[in-house]
């Protein structure tokens, strides 16, 4: 019998019980077409771990609860904040993250939009939940419209202010010194709101009948005053300019920023076409093409991996934000399954295995997940600068990349082993041969074994998250794999969102690998 897991979620001022039917089968089906496996006994292949599955089912609901607790005005941690404010964290000291970041808020809303679309609600509660969440999204729209017009240290609405990274919880400017501007925020916000319009068309099409609301989001007039159009104009005219990175430390040209700007331009061309703005659609498409060419500057052929920031000599360039850029990018340039992204991730994992090792040794010689920090040279410990730790965002993102890659390879029904990617795939499955452009079809035992062992490798990173979450399931910003302690901002919204996004991709890969009954 399925185990029914329930969790009480506070959403928009009312309590409802979300129930998740976590089906833990007694026998996992390796493939719904067993004849694919030939000439080999598959009895020793990976099967999803029951204990991990149960924890995932609980942590999924708990993480969603914690995100909602960090959203104003009704979240338990967001008392006194303005409607639509998405707290980075409820921490107010050591460190003080009781602010709203444009980047973090947009990423969180994108994660919640996926839950809105695919959420696991009890049928009798679904309509009420969807309506309440709609109000949450509308509050976010209102807040972002206000933040765009707030005069801040980066400028005003028409002269650079859209690049301001963070604001106070009441929507006023943060005036103290900071790493600004940060040019990823407007791109992520534009893409998040474009996604909102697409999903609302399927879930709540009635709101799209409100012409004033639509004009507030996108109006073709220039100079741009509508929320999405303003962000798109900012990105399209400033993507080549320096700004601070996602970690707010380095001023330059960054892979993560360029990747989300690229996606924003692709989304912008689509939305401009939808709103009958052909001149803008052409302009955004032109910038998309330029950015598609530009992001290849981040591939360092001498190093054999992507670099996070151009022309930074004192760092290797290996950085968790490479994964984040791929995951939040357009899935065309350097998608998670690309050779360049996978080998860069592999190099990053190797560095992190030294810094943040897994204390539980592998029993079968297979690769195991480790704690993933931001970058090798990191010294920020969450309160000071005594040495970097592993981050939940980064550790979950490795799993996310692996699951996304599995889904892509299965859907394409082939796995091409190249000179560039061989070492990565051979570390997953030593049976793979080193031949130039070796192509494995989905009818091949080695293809299926590799996909399932990749899934196991992805799950091993979730095991690291599980090992360092609190017994209740709380995820802070950072964790120390040597002591097991959490560090940095408590209940970091992005930590929970990153975990939930990885689970959505895991669900997809799991269905493709093991069938619907898994």
């Amino acid at each position: 019998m399925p185990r029914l897991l329930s969790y009480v979620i506070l959403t928009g001022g009312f309590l409802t019980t979300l129930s998740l039917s976590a089906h833990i089968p007694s026998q996992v089906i390796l493939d719904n077409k067993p004849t694919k496996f030939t000439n080999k006994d598959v009895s020793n292949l990976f099967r999803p771990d029951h204990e991990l599955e149960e924890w995932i089912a609980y942590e999924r609901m708990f993480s969603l609860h914690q995100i909602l607790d960090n959203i104003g005005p009704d979240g338990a941690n967001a008392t006194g904040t303005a409607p639509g404010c998405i707290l980075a964290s409820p921490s107010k000291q050591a460190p003080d993250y009781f602010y709203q970041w444009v980047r973090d808020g947009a990423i969180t809303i994108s994660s919640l939009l996926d839950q809105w679309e695919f959420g696991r609600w009890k049928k009798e509660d679904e309509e009420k939940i969807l309506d309440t969440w709609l109000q949450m999204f509308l509050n976010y729209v209102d807040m972002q419209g206000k933040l765009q017009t707030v005069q801040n240290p980066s400028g005003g609405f028409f002269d650079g202010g859209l690049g301001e990274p963070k604001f106070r919880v009441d929507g006023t400017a943060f005036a103290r010194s900071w790493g600004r501007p940060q040019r990823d925020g407007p791109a992520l916000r534009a893409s998040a709101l474009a996604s909102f319009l697409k999903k609302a068309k399927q879930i709540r099409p009635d709101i799209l009948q409100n012409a004033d609301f639509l004009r507030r989001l996108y109006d073709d007039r220039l100079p741009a005053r509508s929320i999405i159009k303003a962000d798109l104009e900012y990105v399209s005219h400033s993507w080549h300019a320096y700004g601070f990175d996602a970690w707010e430390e380095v001023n330059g040209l960054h892979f993560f920023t360029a990747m989300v700007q690229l996606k924003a331009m692709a989304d912008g061309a689509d939305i401009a076409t939808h709103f009958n703005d052909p001149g803008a659609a052409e302009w955004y498409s032109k910038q998309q093409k330029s950015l598609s060419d530009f992001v290849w500057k981040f591939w360092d052929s001498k190093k054999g991996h992507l670099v996070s920031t151009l022309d930074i000599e004192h760092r290797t360039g290996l950085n968790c934000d490479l994964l984040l850029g791929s995951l939040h990018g357009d899935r065309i340039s350097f998608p998670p399954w690309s050779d360049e992204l996978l080998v860069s991730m592999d190099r990053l994992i190797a560095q992190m295995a030294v810094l943040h090792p897994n204390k539980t040794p592998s029993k079968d010689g297979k690769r195991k997940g480790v704690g993933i920090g931001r970058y090798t040279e990191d010294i920020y410990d969450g309160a000071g600068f005594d040495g970097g730790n592993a981050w939940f965002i980064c550790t979950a993102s490795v799993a996310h990349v692996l699951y996304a890659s599995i889904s892509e390879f299965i859907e394409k029904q082939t796995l091409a082993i190249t000179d560039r990617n061989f070492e990565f795939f051979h570390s997953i499955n030593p049976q793979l041969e080193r031949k130039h452009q070796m192509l494995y079809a989905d009818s091949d035992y080695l293809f299926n074994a590799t996909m399932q062992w990749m899934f196991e490798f992805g799950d091993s990173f979730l095991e690291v998250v599980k090992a360092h979450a609190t017994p209740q399931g709380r995820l802070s910003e950072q964790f120390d794999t040597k002591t097991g302690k959490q560090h940095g901002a408590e209940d970091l919204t992005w930590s929970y969102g990153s975990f939930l996004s990885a689970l959505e991709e895991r669900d997809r890969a799991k269905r493709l690998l093991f069938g619907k009954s898994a």
Side-chain angles (χ1 to χ4, degrees):
M1 293 291 292
R3 166 176 286 191
L4 192 65
L5 298 172
S6 298
Y7 205 87
V8 177
I9 303 293
L10 175 65
T11 65
F14 75 92
L15 285 171
T16 185
T17 300
L18 303 186
S19 297
L20 174 64
S21 180
H23 186 77
I24 310 297
S26 59
Q27 181 179 4
V28 177
I29 300 173
L30 289 177
D31 199 295
N32 55 9
K33 296 180 181 179
T35 55
K36 285 184 177 180
F37 295 98
T38 58
N39 303 323
K40 292 282 185 179
D41 179 5
V42 300
S43 62
N44 63 340
L45 288 185
F46 168 72
R47 288 153 168 83
D49 179 77
H50 290 190
E51 183 179 344
L52 179 64
E53 293 286 348
E54 290 189 342
W55 178 80
I56 284 173
Y58 168 81
E59 187 66 20
R60 185 196 298 268
M61 293 296 98
F62 184 81
S63 293
L64 180 55
H65 173 268
Q66 294 307 111
I67 290 175
L68 297 175
D69 271 355
N70 287 351
I71 298 179
D74 299 312
N77 296 326
T79 302
T81 66
C85 169
I86 300 178
L87 289 175
S89 160
S91 291
K92 294 183 179 180
Q93 59 181 357
D96 182 2
Y97 279 26
F98 201 74
Y99 296 93
Q100 52 181 324
W101 270 261
V102 176
R103 171 185 50 254
D104 297 37
I107 289 174
T108 299
I109 283 295
S110 294
S111 176
L112 291 176
L113 284 168
D114 289 338
Q115 301 300 314
W116 196 41
E117 182 177 14
F118 302 116
R120 296 152 175 82
W121 325 119
K122 289 175 66 176
K123 193 64 179 177
E124 59 267 29
D125 294 329
E126 183 173 37
E127 183 176 353
K128 191 174 183 180
I129 291 173
L130 292 178
D131 287 347
T132 301
W133 279 44
L134 174 61
Q135 186 58 55
M136 176 176 63
F137 295 136
L138 294 178
N139 287 344
Y140 172 76
V141 170
D142 288 343
M143 173 57 76
Q144 297 311 303
K146 292 174 183 176
L147 295 184
Q148 284 185 330
T149 62
V150 172
Q151 188 73 27
N152 59 69
S154 294
F157 186 69
F158 295 111
D159 61 351
L162 297 185
E164 183 68 6
K166 107 186 204 186
F167 294 83
R168 298 188 181 277
V169 298
D170 61 357
T172 58
F174 173 78
R176 298 204 298 268
S177 177
W178 205 252
R180 54 171 67 93
Q182 294 177 30
R183 303 187 189 278
D184 52 6
L188 287 160
R189 180 168 54 198
S191 290
L193 292 177
S195 177
F196 168 64
L197 289 176
K198 290 178 183 178
K199 294 181 190 298
K201 184 177 181 181
Q202 303 299 322
I203 301 171
R204 284 294 306 270
D206 54 299
I207 70 166
L208 303 184
Q209 304 305 312
N210 186 329
D212 290 338
F213 175 69
L214 291 181
R215 276 195 296 271
R216 190 179 180 206
L217 284 172
Y218 192 94
D219 190 322
D220 62 0
R221 288 175 294 181
L222 290 173
R225 295 180 181 274
S226 56
I227 299 172
I228 298 176
K229 176 88 167 178
D231 280 341
L232 293 174
E233 288 297 303
Y234 177 88
V235 172
S236 68
H237 289 93
S238 67
W239 63 261
H240 53 277
Y242 275 30
F244 279 82
D245 63 332
W247 310 127
E248 308 184 304
E249 296 174 344
V250 178
N251 190 24
L253 295 171
H254 314 289
F255 180 81
F256 174 80
T257 305
M259 290 291 285
V260 298
Q261 289 171 331
L262 173 55
K263 185 177 189 302
M265 291 296 91
D267 291 338
D270 288 343
I271 201 169
T273 299
H274 177 80
F275 281 93
N276 194 27
D277 191 4
E282 181 180 0
W283 168 248
Y284 301 146
S285 292
K286 183 178 179 180
Q287 304 315 304
Q288 178 189 0
K289 174 63 170 62
S290 296
L291 273 160
S292 295
D293 295 336
F294 172 70
V295 293
W296 274 96
K297 291 182 180 292
F298 293 91
W299 174 252
D300 190 319
S301 57
K302 293 182 179 179
K303 293 182 176 180
H305 60 74
L306 291 162
V307 294
S308 172
T309 301
L310 296 181
D311 303 322
I312 298 293
E313 299 298 331
H314 62 283
R315 291 187 180 181
T316 65
L318 290 169
N319 192 309
C320 165
D321 62 14
L322 297 173
L323 314 186
L324 297 172
S326 175
L327 292 170
H328 295 290
D330 66 350
R331 297 295 177 98
I332 297 174
S333 302
F334 301 116
W337 48 86
S338 65
D339 288 354
E340 293 79 14
L341 196 282
L342 288 174
V343 300
S344 300
M345 181 180 74
D346 198 35
R347 299 281 187 89
L348 179 65
I349 293 171
Q351 291 187 347
M352 294 300 161
V354 177
L355 295 172
H356 313 298
N358 190 329
K359 293 191 295 184
T360 304
S362 175
K363 296 179 181 179
D364 52 12
K366 294 178 184 176
R367 297 185 72 178
K368 294 195 65 173
V370 299
I372 303 297
R374 298 188 300 174
Y375 51 91
T376 307
E377 302 86 357
D378 193 9
I379 59 172
Y380 175 60
D381 61 11
F385 299 93
D386 290 332
N389 297 305
W391 285 50
F392 287 109
I393 294 170
C394 301
T395 306
S397 292
V398 171
H400 192 164
V401 167
L402 291 166
Y403 299 139
S405 299
I406 291 165
S407 298
E408 176 70 11
F409 296 138
I410 292 176
E411 290 184 340
K412 284 189 174 179
Q413 300 181 325
T414 56
L415 172 64
I417 302 299
T418 67
D419 290 339
R420 182 168 289 176
N421 69 26
F422 173 77
E423 288 186 9
F424 169 74
F425 284 110
H426 190 258
S427 73
I428 301 294
N429 184 356
Q431 299 175 52
L432 295 175
E433 299 181 59
R434 184 162 201 160
K435 293 182 179 179
H436 182 64
Q437 290 294 340
M438 184 67 181
L439 194 68
Y440 292 96
D442 67 342
S443 59
D444 194 303
Y445 165 83
L446 288 176
F447 175 93
N448 288 277
T450 303
M451 293 302 100
Q452 293 187 50
W453 287 332
M454 277 184 72
F455 192 92
E456 182 179 13
F457 191 36
D459 272 6
S460 71
F461 286 92
L462 294 190
E463 289 278 11
V464 174
V465 173
K466 175 176 176 285
H468 294 89
T470 69
Q472 188 181 1
R474 294 186 182 279
L475 306 178
S476 65
E477 179 183 60
Q478 308 174 29
F479 60 94
D480 187 331
T481 58
K482 299 178 180 67
T483 66
K485 294 182 179 179
Q486 294 191 9
H487 294 273
E490 299 176 350
D491 290 321
L492 190 73
T493 307
W494 196 355
S495 291
Y496 293 115
S498 181
F499 175 75
L500 285 178
S501 295
L503 293 191
E504 290 299 326
E505 200 64 63
R506 182 182 189 270
D507 290 344
R508 179 170 165 240
K510 186 179 172 186
R511 286 193 300 270
L512 290 168
L513 266 176
F514 305 112
K516 293 182 180 179
S517 63

